[in-house]
Amino acid sequence: MKRKLIIGALALFGMTGFAHAQGFADAKFGVKAGWNNTNITNGREGNLDDSKSLNSFNAGVIGAIPLGSTFEIRTGLDLTSKGTESSTALTNGVKTTYKVNPLYLELPVNVAIMLPFNDKVKAYIGAGPYAAVGLGGKLKTTVETGSTTTTSSQNIKWGNDNPLDGSDRNGTVGSGQFKRFDFGANIIGGLDFGRVGVHAQYGIGLTNTAPGGSNDNNANKSNQHRAIGVSGVFYF
């Protein structure tokens, strides 16, 4: 995955250089920030059952580099919070809820089709891959026993354990470990109004972010990120 991230970054610089070499004076760059609604699949089929989506955030820098009059490369660097909430109700009346919020630095490279309404308003739709590296995040655990509720919080550890299946491989139930590198695809769309815009995307993770071992329940699961994001954009 490190190699994929490096290749993606080199591709970004190469395409930027190509755009300038072709004299695309209309390339523009800016900043964005907005809202995410995220979840993590729980099964090989990409199911999201028994999980609750979380509201989180995204922020970063964005670039729109024209490739002729119809297409453009839309890329940048995003700081994006993802995760899910999962509950386990045991037969002895104990309910445990895990809320995980991993934080990633994400590099998207999307190819978009430009759909101008007039000289000032332009719509676009597109798709492309992303590569991401985990920076931090939190695991919040809530245990309810009758009328007693206990809550604890810890930093996410980047490793190979699964924070959602309740196993105890490392001596701590739900020890909050994720694989550090993630890879997937985005479907994007938006509107530009000159120096401001609205950007929307749906991220489909393709990496099993917490694979665990073949000797536990996670052998039959694929914990992949799903994220819907809407952002406001300001171009310099």
Side-chain angles (χ1 to χ4, degrees), residues 66-117:
L67 297 175
S69 60
T70 305
F71 297 95
E72 65 183 6
I73 297 293
R74 299 192 71 91
T75 184
L77 281 175
D78 296 337
L79 188 65
T80 181
S81 177
K82 299 185 179 182
T84 190
E85 183 175 313
S86 180
S87 297
T88 302
L90 304 180
T91 55
N92 59 1
V94 178
K95 180 181 179 181
T96 303
T97 301
Y98 300 108
K99 181 179 178 181
V100 287
N101 283 111
L103 183 66
Y104 292 91
L105 182 65
E106 188 172 298
L107 170 67
V109 182
N110 300 298
V111 178
I113 300 174
M114 295 182 288
L115 306 168
F117 292 115

Side-chain angles (χ1 to χ4, degrees), residues 27-34 58-64 74-78 124 191-200 230-236:
K28 56 184 181 181
F29 300 88
V31 294
K32 74 181 187 75
N58 67 79
V61 295
I62 190 169
R74 299 192 71 91
T75 184
L77 281 175
D78 296 337
Y124 59 87
L191 288 168
D192 282 349
F193 306 91
R195 296 187 66 178
V196 298
V198 178
H199 177 83
V230 179
S231 309
V233 182
F234 176 79
Y235 297 102
F236 301 125

Side-chain angles (χ1 to χ4, degrees), residues 199-224:
H199 177 83
Q201 68 182 43
Y202 179 56
I204 304 169
L206 302 176
T207 301
N208 190 350
T209 60
S214 60
N215 60 343
D216 58 38
N217 293 333
N218 199 49
N220 296 317
K221 297 179 182 179
S222 186
N223 299 289
Q224 299 170 333

